[in-house]
């Protein structure tokens, strides 16, 4: 998750926002029945990247956790003296490995690209009453959102094709408290995918990303992602983690 327009705040305000953000995330997780002490968290000032333990319910993250977080943001921002906090949240599922500077793998790279997607920024900028904009990977949408869970409504999500740096893939945008039609309108005006260095915009149908189990919540992680035809699933082993 990443705080919108954080750099415009002065130093005392940035410090206050960081403290409030951690508190709101802790409260949203607790209300959902998630234990934040078990999350591998990588704070980076105005954002947090977190890897959730294996066995975490993806439906709980995408449903109740998102709803509680949106509610806590709304309650905080309703105070006249508080500087407003607006968040972009990206969620993916996949292979994550511990690395010298944090985490490595396709999922950490994907959430870093998703959370910075121009479509997500455009939606949050246009829907000025919104405090939270969420994007989930296509795999999560297909496997979890469309599974008929009581707290998840597929009709609230709008599909987008994200291309940031070397990453390309589909994602699904949702803004709690807003309809899909309200989300769709600013997406129509979002910047189109930029050409590759060779001057060609790849076809969305030719892009894919490999993911496995688990849930990773977005942040600004450097890395690379191979784009091409889907690879066969590797066998389960110690390398598969959340």
């Amino acid at each position: 998750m990443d705080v919108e327009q954080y750099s415009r705040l002065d130093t005392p305000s940035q410090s206050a926002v960081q403290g409030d953000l951690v508190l709101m995330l802790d409260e949203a997780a607790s209300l959902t029945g998630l234990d934040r002490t078990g999350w591998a968290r990588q704070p980076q000032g105005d954002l947090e990247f977190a890897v959730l333990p294996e066995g975490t319910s993806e439906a709980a993250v995408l449903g109740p956790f998102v709803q509680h977080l949106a509610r806590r943001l709304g309650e905080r921002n309703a105070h006249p003296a508080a500087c407003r906090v607006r968040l972009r949240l990206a969620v993916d599922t996949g292979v994550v490995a511990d690395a010298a500077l944090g985490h490595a793998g396709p999922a950490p790279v994907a959430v870093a690209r998703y959370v910075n997607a121009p479509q997500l920024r455009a939606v949050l900028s246009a829907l000025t009453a919104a405090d939270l904009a969420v994007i989930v990977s296509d795999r999560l949408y297909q496997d979890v959102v469309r599974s008929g869970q009581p707290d998840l409504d597929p009709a609230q999500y709008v599909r987008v094709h994200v291309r940031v740096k070397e990453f390309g893939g589909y994602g699904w945008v949702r803004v709690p408290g807003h309809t899909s039609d309200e989300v769709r309108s600013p997406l129509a005006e979002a910047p189109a995918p930029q050409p590759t260095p060779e001057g060609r915009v790849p076809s969305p149908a030719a892009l894919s990303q490999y993911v496995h189990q688990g849930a990773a919540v977005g942040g600004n992680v450097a890395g690379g992602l191979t784009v091409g035809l889907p690879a066969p699933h590797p066998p389960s082993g110690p390398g598969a983690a959340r």
Side-chain angles (χ1 to χ4, degrees):
M1 63 285 298
D2 196 350
V3 178
E4 188 80 351
Q5 298 183 346
Y6 175 84
S7 61
R8 297 186 182 184
L9 302 175
D10 59 24
T11 301
S13 297
Q14 289 180 352
S15 179
V17 164
Q18 289 188 32
D20 289 348
L21 178 58
V22 170
L23 180 61
M24 288 186 290
L25 292 170
D26 288 347
E27 291 177 345
S30 178
L31 290 168
T32 307
L34 302 174
D35 182 7
R36 284 257 294 165
T37 63
W39 296 16
R41 295 158 56 189
Q42 189 174 323
Q44 298 177 45
D46 61 334
L47 60 87
E48 179 181 282
F49 171 82
V51 181
L52 279 61
E54 285 196 83
T56 300
S57 167
E58 291 94 343
V61 174
L62 300 182
F65 175 76
V66 167
Q67 289 302 117
H68 287 306
L69 181 57
R71 191 171 297 115
R72 289 295 294 112
L73 279 165
E75 292 170 354
R76 180 203 176 278
N77 290 338
H79 292 286
C83 59
R84 191 176 180 193
V85 174
R86 308 178 77 211
L87 290 180
R88 302 190 313 276
L89 172 67
V91 190
D92 195 6
T93 177
V95 174
V96 181
D98 292 337
L101 297 178
H103 299 87
V109 174
V111 288
R113 304 307 181 238
Y114 279 130
V115 83
N116 287 305
Q119 296 96 328
L120 194 64
R121 292 180 180 274
V123 165
L124 194 57
S125 176
L127 301 180
T128 56
D131 297 311
L132 177 65
V134 182
I135 184 169
V136 306
S137 67
D138 187 60
R139 175 63 64 92
L140 271 178
Y141 178 84
Q142 301 298 339
D143 290 354
V144 179
V145 176
R146 295 185 63 191
S147 65
Q149 298 286 343
D151 295 314
L152 298 175
D153 179 7
Q156 293 181 346
Y157 293 78
V158 177
R159 191 177 76 158
V160 297
H161 177 246
V162 176
R163 183 157 188 85
V164 178
K165 296 185 178 180
E166 74 287 352
F167 172 82
Y170 286 113
W172 294 79
V173 175
R174 173 196 173 200
V175 179
H178 292 263
T179 67
S180 57
D181 286 339
E182 291 174 307
V183 172
R184 198 172 282 110
S185 179
L187 285 176
E189 302 175 4
Q194 295 300 307
T196 64
E198 292 75 20
R200 178 177 58 87
V201 177
S203 167
L207 301 173
S208 66
Q209 63 189 56
Y210 174 72
V211 291
H212 190 43
Q213 344 177 9
V217 182
N220 196 12
V221 182
L225 179 68
T226 300
V227 178
L229 296 176
H233 286 206
S236 298
R242 289 179 187 267

